[in-house]
């Protein structure tokens, strides 16, 4: 701990701020379908999700090791580069939250780090073979696997219960959703909290506070778990609306199928050290559940916007991280202060814009898409 400088302390605080945004950005992954089907009340759902995200943070550290010693060369990384990468990730998370787009917080983090390290230490400091193996391949495969599993589970659920009373089926699957949504929250904590653990561990390695290839200390695991849990409890209502009401016309059997498929994929991948996107997995599961029910409405235009966000997340965050790293590396302390102030100003503008069309627990299940424009008064022309 004696090796921790002011800059490293600032990196740790920024990493936990990212973890907080990850929490409220990804609450929808676990709870959107349960809130949409009425299985859980909105505020109860986010409270359960927050507690289980914290618990999940203690289940594994394989993903943290992938980040701290896998995708970049920890011997060449400096705390300033990590700070710049986190800035890119946080700003992308806030922008997509404003638009109600369930983009990948994980890929925002990876992109920010890759861009910052590339600029700060050179292309050779990024292990692109590991990026392909641990990030890009899972990014393509995981939503497809989750979608196919949810499709099959949804089809079977409706076939098996075809002759049962519909009200009884709905009540049964709503009860099941409480368990399946809870498991998604546990899996999310296992997968996503570890990414912040990995970043903090990388910063501690870069300043000599930990040895190379070290795992995250207990205090890092606890702080990352608490940060993501608090963000989750805040509730990313704008994205919950998109995933619960804007993507698929969903019923409780579909929600149960989507959540169960997502849990299986996330937990399996976390134990293998694959730092996949829980957003992509859960979105794939919801789409699969939509396709699996006859006559269900799947809003492919919304799915297309999401897919576009997925494609640009990593390069967009990398570009911001690279720009920030250029200022930090060449500007020293003044550059760090400049980037911190600029990031705070942009974040403030985003928060102000979000208040023009607020989404909260009381209106999260309203139909319609999330916008940054104020809603027109009832009866207004146009």
């Amino acid at each position: 701990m004696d090796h921790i400088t002011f800059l490293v302390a600032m990196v740790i605080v920024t990493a936990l701020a990212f973890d907080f945004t990850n929490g409220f950005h990804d609450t929808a992954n676990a709870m959107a379908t349960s809130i949409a089907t009425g299985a859980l009340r909105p505020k109860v759902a986010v409270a359960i999700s927050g507690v289980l995200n914290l618990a999940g943070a203690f289940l594994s550290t394989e993903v943290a090791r992938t980040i701290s010693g896998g995708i970049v060369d920890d011997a060449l990384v400096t705390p300033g580069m990590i700070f710049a990468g986190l800035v890119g990730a946080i700003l992308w998370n806030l922008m997509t939250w404003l638009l109600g787009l369930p983009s990948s917080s994980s890929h925002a983090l990876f992109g920010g780090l890759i861009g910052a390290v590339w600029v700060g230490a050179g292309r050779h400091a990024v292990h692109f073979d590991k990026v392909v193996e641990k990030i890009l391949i899972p990014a393509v495969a995981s939503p497809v696997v989750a979608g196919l599993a949810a499709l099959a589970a949804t089809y079977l659920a409706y076939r098996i219960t075809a002759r049962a009373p519909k009200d009884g089926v709905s009540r049964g699957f709503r009860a099941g959703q409480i368990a399946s949504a809870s498991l998604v929250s546990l899996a999310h904590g296992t997968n996503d909290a570890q990414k912040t653990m990995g970043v903090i561990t990388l910063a501690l390695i870069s300043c000599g506070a930990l040895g190379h290839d070290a795992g995250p200390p207990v205090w890092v695991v606890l702080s990352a778990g608490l940060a993501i849990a608090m963000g989750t409890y805040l509730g990313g209502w704008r994205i919950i609306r998109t995933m619960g009401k804007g993507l698929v016309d969903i019923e409780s059997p579909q929600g149960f199928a989507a959540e169960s498929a997502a849990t299986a994929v996330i937990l399996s991948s976390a134990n293998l050290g694959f730092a996949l996107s829980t957003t992509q997995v859960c979105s794939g599961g919801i789409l699969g559940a939509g396709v699996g029910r006859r006559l269900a409405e799947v809003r492919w235009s919304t799915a297309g916007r999401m897919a576009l966000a997925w494609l640009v997340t990593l390069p967009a965050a990398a570009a911001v991280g690279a720009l920030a790293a250029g200022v930090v590396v060449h500007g020293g302390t003044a550059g760090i202060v400049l980037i911190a102030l600029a990031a705070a100003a942009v974040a403030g503008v985003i928060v102000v814009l979000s208040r023009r069309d607020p989404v909260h627990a009381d209106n999260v299940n309203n139909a319609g898409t999330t916008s940054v424009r104020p809603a027109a008064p009832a009866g207004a022309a146009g």
Side-chain angles (χ1 to χ4, degrees):
M1 296 291 288
D2 294 338
H3 297 282
I4 296 180
T5 64
F6 173 76
L7 176 56
V8 173
M10 190 170 179
V11 169
I12 293 172
V13 171
T14 307
L16 293 176
F18 165 78
D19 207 22
F20 182 83
T21 67
N22 190 351
F24 74 72
H25 198 281
D26 289 3
T27 309
N29 296 345
M31 292 300 175
T33 55
S34 294
I35 291 172
T37 62
L40 287 168
R41 294 194 302 274
K43 291 186 178 180
V44 172
V46 296
I48 292 173
S49 187
V51 171
L52 291 173
N53 265 280
L54 174 59
F58 289 88
L59 294 184
S60 172
T61 59
E62 290 303 315
V63 173
R65 290 177 180 273
T66 295
I67 294 170
S68 63
I71 64 174
V72 294
D73 187 341
D74 58 23
L76 299 176
V77 174
T78 66
M81 297 176 202
I82 299 172
F83 171 74
L86 287 167
V87 168
I90 290 171
L91 291 181
W92 183 256
N93 267 1
L94 291 175
M95 180 60 69
T96 50
W97 163 76
L98 175 67
L99 298 174
L101 284 175
S103 68
S104 171
S105 297
S106 305
H107 288 179
L109 176 60
F110 301 145
L113 282 176
I114 290 169
V117 172
W118 193 337
V119 167
R123 182 181 183 278
H124 62 283
V126 180
H127 298 156
F128 286 100
D129 56 335
K130 291 293 184 181
V131 172
V132 172
E133 176 190 353
K134 296 289 189 177
I135 298 174
L136 296 184
I137 292 176
V140 174
S142 58
V144 174
V145 172
L148 291 175
L151 187 156
T154 300
Y155 175 78
L156 289 173
Y158 279 102
R159 284 295 300 270
I160 292 169
T161 60
R163 298 181 182 276
K166 187 172 182 180
D167 289 345
V169 171
S170 295
R171 284 196 301 271
F173 276 109
R174 285 195 191 105
Q177 276 194 275
I178 297 174
S180 60
S182 297
L183 285 173
V184 176
S185 295
L186 191 70
H188 182 265
T190 303
N191 190 276
D192 279 46
Q194 287 192 62
K195 292 157 190 171
T196 299
M197 295 177 210
V199 170
I200 295 175
T201 302
L202 183 60
L204 295 173
I205 291 172
S206 72
C207 72
L210 291 176
H212 293 295
D213 299 322
V218 174
W219 69 267
V220 172
V221 176
L222 178 61
S223 59
L226 286 171
I228 201 168
M230 289 189 292
T232 300
Y233 181 70
L234 181 67
W237 304 113
R238 303 174 78 83
I239 299 176
I240 289 174
R241 174 185 283 182
T242 298
M243 290 187 71
K245 290 294 185 180
L247 188 58
V248 169
D249 177 24
I250 201 162
E251 296 180 349
S252 54
Q254 297 166 280
F256 178 79
E259 290 160 356
S260 300
T263 300
V265 172
I266 294 167
L267 286 178
S268 299
S269 298
N271 283 309
L272 293 172
F274 292 125
L276 52 73
S277 165
T278 54
T279 300
Q280 292 181 358
V281 173
C282 294
S283 299
I286 292 172
L287 282 172
V291 174
R293 177 168 74 91
R294 287 185 60 203
L295 305 179
E297 181 183 359
V298 179
R299 299 174 182 88
W300 293 109
S301 60
T302 302
R305 291 173 59 224
M306 287 169 48
L308 180 60
W310 293 354
L311 288 174
V312 302
T313 289
L314 197 148
V320 178
L323 177 63
V327 176
V328 168
V329 170
H330 298 293
T333 302
I336 293 170
V337 172
L338 177 62
I339 290 298
L341 291 175
V346 173
V349 170
I350 290 173
V351 171
V352 170
L353 288 175
S354 73
R355 292 178 178 174
R356 300 176 66 181
D357 180 27
V359 182
H360 44 75
D362 296 329
N363 68 0
V364 67
N365 277 336
N366 290 357
T369 58
T370 302
S371 171
V372 296
R373 297 178 180 178

